[in-house]
Amino acid sequence: MRRSNYPDHEVNEINWRVLKTLWPYLLEFRVRIFIAMLCLVFTKLASVYLPFILKDLVDTLDQQNADKIYLVPLGLVAAYGLVRFSTVLFAEIRDTLFGHVTERAIRRIGLNVFKHLHRLELDFHLDRQTGGLSRDIDRGTSGISFLMRFMVFNIVPTLLEIIMVMGILWYNYGVYFSLIVLISIVCYVGYSVKATEWRTGYIREANKADSTSNTRAIDSLLNYETVKYFTNEDYEANAYDNNLAQWEQAKIKNRLSLFALNGGQALIIAISMTSMLGLAAYQVTHEQMTLGDFVLINAFMMQLFIPLNFLGFVYREIKGSMANIEHMFNLLGKQPKINDMPDAQGLNVTEGSIRFEQVDFGYNNKRNVINQLSFDVKPGQKVAVVGDSGSGKSTLVKLLFRFYDPDYGSISIDGQDISSVKQQSLRQHIGIVPQDTVLFNDTLFANVHYGNPDASEEAVYEAIKLAHLDKFVDSLPDKSATKVGERGLKLSGGEKQRVAIARTILKNPEILVFDEATSSLDSHSEQAILRAIRQVSENKTSLVIAHRLSTIVDADNIIVMRQGQVVEQGNHQTLIQANGLYASMWALQQ
């Protein structure tokens, strides 16, 4: 069964360094944060003052005679309403101000992760599993939102309120009331943390099963045709259901552990409230405090335990959020294996000559794919590379685009080592028509326009015409606005290749690469594509990776490879007369 390569999203210890990493993204709005914190303090001061108004109101009503005017209690009622409104108002202002800060931080971080993923090397993207990766990024950004909201608006205010209430109770009513609050809070927090730690394993299992099932579903849907070809719908459904079954079991255990957590918290709250109110009731009956004091103490306890009631949930989610954020920041911490040199300059293409010089390369240390490879592509030449499967033909393209660096030797364009120039400038000067053209799930026009997003609409249609794609476009009901489907699945192989050629025409690079661009096409489509390729590559340097030898008979130079080495080179006629490997390949294909 395919499994996610990504690690679990829960850790045993909270990594507080996450806050340090997150802090620079929040500093863009220092004034907003300061005002939001002031509003937070005002909210808590108003919240703590409310029980005092309630106490005065109850005491006044208790002492009021029926024949007296009720101006004082009415004033207290109005004051209670005003203070209650102010707590909500300050909280809303705080949420609005800090919400903008959080959203901007999420936007900045999300953009940085997205750009960084595009900077990572090809190996990372070959090993990744898209479903799990996208879910990790989604969890990370959601984690930032949760962490900011609950850390700033739940944990910090609750701690502030606990300190204020304990001080007030100690000062006004004695040490016992303060001690009951302290012991209750310690027991409540201790139990919540321990129970949440116990629950962590079930949360981890649920997250892991969630990522695995999501990855499986996306992988299966992306390979829809393969599933259909092999009639493996039931196999895929069973595999997906197995993943969902694991998620279901983890969720059941999670729910049972949540029951234990909530039950224990409720018991601690009940004992604490009973102890506090029992002590208060005793003092009221012995006239050591008023009825208003009793109401005040009850109100304070309610205010303290309502936010604490969510502590287990908040602690677990903050812990999980920090783990998710850390994992997302770990993506930012991955260093690309292919980097520009500190003094790298832009590639300056004057003629378009290419040189491979004594190049060695292997995808791992066990076996070299390219061995001491040397050849030249002169300006304006069409050079073809042919050979058996696994001889290293397509690897040359990856090396030329600098998706990998050679283990030894060098590759240069117009005398400039490509490892010493900026990768972006290198790729700007090279256009490619790949063997498997993958299109975006957008319109046909948008996919061609992708070759040069700054090009005009007229230039796009001209590229479509030069790629012999115009008749096909005109035959479509929606013309160039036709959606091509996921990865271009609505188009045939030949149609996708012509879109790739149109893209390359629009890009208008000095160097062209054709990586087995006609290997999967029928003869009619192949001839149409070849005509388009000849037009595109006229007066340009082109490197053609070929499987069908009939497509490269007009090449200025043909390089024949075997096991990563050049065994023959020359034009078609010369190689046929040499009666070597090329000649035997030609005979087989004929």
Side-chain angles (χ1 to χ4, degrees), residues 272-467:
S272 304
M273 291 289 288
T274 303
S275 302
M276 184 70 84
L277 294 180
L279 181 59
Y282 174 82
Q283 294 200 5
V284 169
T285 56
H286 287 75
E287 298 183 351
Q288 295 174 359
M289 64 168 58
T290 66
L291 191 61
D293 292 318
F294 179 87
V295 172
L296 178 143
I297 290 169
N298 180 62
F300 270 145
M301 292 301 287
M302 293 293 290
Q303 281 185 200
L304 283 182
F305 280 111
I306 286 173
L308 278 176
N309 197 38
F310 297 101
L311 181 65
F313 164 75
V314 170
Y315 172 75
R316 175 177 61 78
E317 289 299 323
I318 284 180
K319 184 178 178 183
S321 294
M322 283 192 170
N324 291 331
I325 296 167
E326 183 182 19
H327 188 62
M328 187 173 69
F329 279 132
N330 284 343
L331 287 175
L332 282 172
K334 285 184 179 293
Q335 293 301 315
K337 294 178 182 176
I338 309 299
N339 293 292
D340 290 338
M341 290 183 177
D343 58 346
Q345 302 295 317
L347 178 65
N348 180 28
V349 178
T350 54
E351 297 179 320
S353 64
I354 305 170
R355 166 168 285 188
F356 280 72
E357 191 169 1
Q358 298 294 304
V359 173
D360 278 359
F361 175 74
Y363 292 103
N364 53 52
N365 296 325
K366 296 178 181 178
R367 183 177 69 89
N368 267 9
V369 177
I370 304 294
N371 296 290
Q372 293 293 295
L373 183 75
S374 298
F375 68 86
D376 289 304
V377 182
K378 294 178 181 177
Q381 270 194 339
K382 176 181 178 180
V383 172
V385 180
V386 301
D388 301 329
S389 295
S391 60
K393 305 187 298 296
S394 292
T395 300
L396 297 182
V397 178
K398 294 181 177 69
L399 291 172
L400 181 61
F401 271 90
R402 210 182 163 212
F403 291 149
Y404 300 96
D405 280 333
D407 298 327
Y408 180 80
S410 65
I411 303 168
S412 58
I413 295 176
D414 284 345
Q416 301 158 81
D417 192 322
I418 64 172
S419 65
S420 66
V421 301
K422 292 180 179 177
Q423 296 174 64
Q424 188 176 15
S425 72
L426 168 68
R427 292 161 192 159
Q428 281 175 340
H429 291 287
I430 307 174
I432 185 168
V433 179
Q435 179 180 4
D436 181 21
T437 301
V438 178
L439 305 180
F440 294 97
N441 190 7
D442 205 335
T443 63
L444 196 147
F445 180 93
N447 274 282
V448 175
H449 197 203
Y450 197 78
N452 181 5
D454 297 325
S456 65
E457 188 174 324
E458 292 76 14
V460 175
Y461 283 115
E462 182 63 23
I464 289 173
K465 184 178 178 181
L466 290 172

Side-chain angles (χ1 to χ4, degrees), residues 252-272:
I252 290 171
K253 294 174 184 176
N254 183 18
R255 191 173 294 107
L256 291 172
S257 64
L258 181 61
F259 170 78
L261 172 65
N262 291 339
Q265 288 175 335
L267 179 63
I268 293 171
I269 291 173
I271 293 172
S272 304

Side-chain angles (χ1 to χ4, degrees), residues 197-217:
E197 291 290 343
W198 167 57
R199 295 187 65 226
T200 296
Y202 304 131
I203 306 300
R204 183 186 295 120
E205 284 180 30
N207 278 347
K208 188 174 183 179
D210 183 40
S211 281
T212 305
S213 60
N214 188 60
T215 299
R216 180 82 200 205

Side-chain angles (χ1 to χ4, degrees), residues 142-325:
S142 298
I144 293 170
S145 177
F146 187 93
L147 181 65
M148 290 296 99
R149 188 167 72 251
F150 281 89
M151 180 70 78
V152 176
F153 302 150
N154 188 285
I155 300 295
V156 173
T158 301
L159 289 174
L160 181 63
E161 189 168 6
I162 288 169
I163 293 168
M164 291 169 67
V165 168
M166 284 179 61
I168 289 167
L169 291 176
W170 194 341
Y171 181 79
N172 289 337
Y173 304 108
V175 69
Y176 292 112
F177 287 97
S178 186
L179 277 175
I180 290 173
V181 172
L182 179 62
I183 293 168
S184 302
I185 297 299
V186 169
C187 291
Y188 189 95
V189 171
Y191 176 77
S192 297
V193 169
K194 285 293 183 183
T196 303
E197 291 290 343
W198 167 57
R199 295 187 65 226
T200 296
Y202 304 131
I203 306 300
R204 183 186 295 120
E205 284 180 30
N207 278 347
K208 188 174 183 179
D210 183 40
S211 281
T212 305
S213 60
N214 188 60
T215 299
R216 180 82 200 205
I218 290 177
D219 198 20
S220 181
L221 292 173
L222 285 175
N223 291 282
Y224 169 84
E225 287 180 280
T226 305
V227 174
K228 288 294 182 183
Y229 290 149
F230 292 93
T231 62
N232 277 341
E233 293 91 341
D234 290 341
Y235 173 79
E236 291 292 326
N238 288 336
Y240 184 54
D241 187 50
N242 286 337
N243 291 330
L244 289 178
Q246 292 174 17
W247 171 84
E248 180 187 21
Q249 289 302 312
K251 281 291 185 181
I252 290 171
K253 294 174 184 176
N254 183 18
R255 191 173 294 107
L256 291 172
S257 64
L258 181 61
F259 170 78
L261 172 65
N262 291 339
Q265 288 175 335
L267 179 63
I268 293 171
I269 291 173
I271 293 172
S272 304
M273 291 289 288
T274 303
S275 302
M276 184 70 84
L277 294 180
L279 181 59
Y282 174 82
Q283 294 200 5
V284 169
T285 56
H286 287 75
E287 298 183 351
Q288 295 174 359
M289 64 168 58
T290 66
L291 191 61
D293 292 318
F294 179 87
V295 172
L296 178 143
I297 290 169
N298 180 62
F300 270 145
M301 292 301 287
M302 293 293 290
Q303 281 185 200
L304 283 182
F305 280 111
I306 286 173
L308 278 176
N309 197 38
F310 297 101
L311 181 65
F313 164 75
V314 170
Y315 172 75
R316 175 177 61 78
E317 289 299 323
I318 284 180
K319 184 178 178 183
S321 294
M322 283 192 170
N324 291 331
I325 296 167

